Amino acid sequence: QKEVEQDPGPLSVPEGAIVSLNCTYSNSAFQYFMWYRQYSRKGPELLMYTYSSGNKEDGRFTAQVDKSSKYISLFIRDSQPSDSATYLCAMSALTDSGGSNYKLTFGKGTLLTVNP
Amino acid sequence: DSGVTQTPKHLITATGQRVTLRCSPRSGDLSVYWYQQSLDQGLQFLIQYYNGEERAKGNILERFSAQQFPDLHSELNLSSLELGDSALYFCASSVGQLGFYGYTFGSGTRLTVV
């Protein structure tokens, strides 16, 4: 079983729709949860960052973490064509018992297209 | 512009050859991470350096090596290249060595092995 599972899509929605993107994970050591957006031929850029279970909102984006279910979500409200990109979830855990280093593990990404 | 600079942007080379990818981290960042991205495997962590020292290793092949120099730029060396090494190679950097706030990625080097 992969540490992080993400449905690759593709997902196609009309402009203005609410988009829901999800990841599940198996490693209970993951402590920090992130969503990255990657446009074609570009590097991933950090969208949202959360630590605890619950919701975090930033404009049209809401990140949700449920550690008990090992499930994270990203919601995009009023989706725009400019939101068309690949969305990657990422999670970090300590790489050593000394507590001095973390490593990010990424999902494979979900390709989202928002149609005008 | 993310502040992380990767060169070259594109590289086409033949099987068996050796290439060097270069990364300059964002100003003030001491950690550099290398990732490989392919369609079937997604983003795979290769290796991390912090202030010149190797801090963590991921799925890096023995044919690959990296180093971080005193000026904090990093190089990823890929040798005895195979067709399967064709991928996007990303460098990322972070403040400190913890990186739990996430990384800042460069635009990547697209490597094509023919």
Side-chain angles (χ1 to χ4, degrees):
Chain A
Q1 182 186 10
K2 282 190 174 293
E3 279 190 295
V4 180
E5 300 274 6
Q6 183 175 10
D7 186 341
L11 186 60
S12 182
V13 302
E15 183 176 352
I18 296 174
V19 175
S20 172
L21 303 165
N22 311 294
C23 286
T24 58
Y25 62 96
S26 58
N27 186 353
S28 57
F30 287 132
Q31 297 177 291
Y32 300 90
F33 304 89
M34 284 142 266
W35 285 93
Y36 282 79
R37 177 176 61 196
Q38 185 176 18
Y39 291 114
S40 180
R41 301 183 181 277
K42 298 289 187 184
E45 59 175 314
L46 183 64
L47 263 183
M48 301 280 290
Y49 160 87
T50 56
Y51 170 64
S52 57
S53 284
N55 294 349
K56 182 176 181 179
E57 195 173 309
D58 184 2
R60 296 183 296 111
F61 298 89
T62 299
Q64 193 173 77
V65 174
D66 183 347
K67 286 188 176 180
S68 62
S69 301
K70 296 190 177 65
Y71 188 88
I72 71 169
S73 301
L74 177 71
F75 298 96
I76 307 175
R77 291 185 300 281
D78 187 25
S79 56
Q80 302 295 309
S82 58
D83 295 328
S84 299
T86 296
Y87 289 81
L88 303 106
C89 61
M91 310 177 187
S92 68
L94 282 167
T95 60
D96 57 54
S97 57
S100 63
N101 203 49
Y102 284 77
K103 187 192 80 175
L104 278 188
T105 302
F106 285 84
K108 283 193 177 182
T110 300
L111 178 60
L112 170 68
T113 302
V114 181
N115 302 298
Chain B
D1 182 7
S2 69
V4 179
T5 304
Q6 287 188 252
T7 56
K9 290 193 185 306
H10 303 277
L11 203 48
I12 301 175
T13 190
T15 54
Q17 294 299 303
R18 182 178 189 274
V19 297
T20 297
L21 313 184
R22 183 188 167 101
C23 169
S24 293
R26 200 176 52 166
S27 178
D29 287 355
L30 299 179
S31 271
V32 168
Y33 311 81
W34 286 98
Y35 279 82
Q36 180 192 59
Q37 187 177 42
S38 60
L39 279 175
D40 56 339
Q41 293 295 319
L43 264 172
Q44 296 289 309
F45 170 67
L46 296 178
I47 198 164
Q48 176 201 357
Y49 280 84
Y50 172 74
N51 205 20
E53 291 188 8
E54 182 184 304
R55 290 294 285 123
K57 236 175 183 177
N59 304 320
I60 188 165
L61 299 172
E62 284 191 12
R63 301 183 285 109
F64 296 0
S65 65
Q67 55 184 325
Q68 187 179 28
F69 294 87
D71 67 352
L72 300 178
H73 91 271
S74 178
E75 293 181 355
L76 179 67
N77 302 297
L78 315 176
S79 61
S80 303
L81 284 167
E82 301 174 0
L83 295 178
D85 297 327
S86 296
L88 265 170
Y89 290 84
F90 285 105
C91 167
S93 69
S94 71
V95 173
Q97 62 178 334
L98 295 181
F100 54 71
Y101 292 119
Y103 312 154
T104 301
F105 281 82
S107 294
T109 294
R110 183 173 295 276
L111 174 66
T112 303
V113 182
V114 297

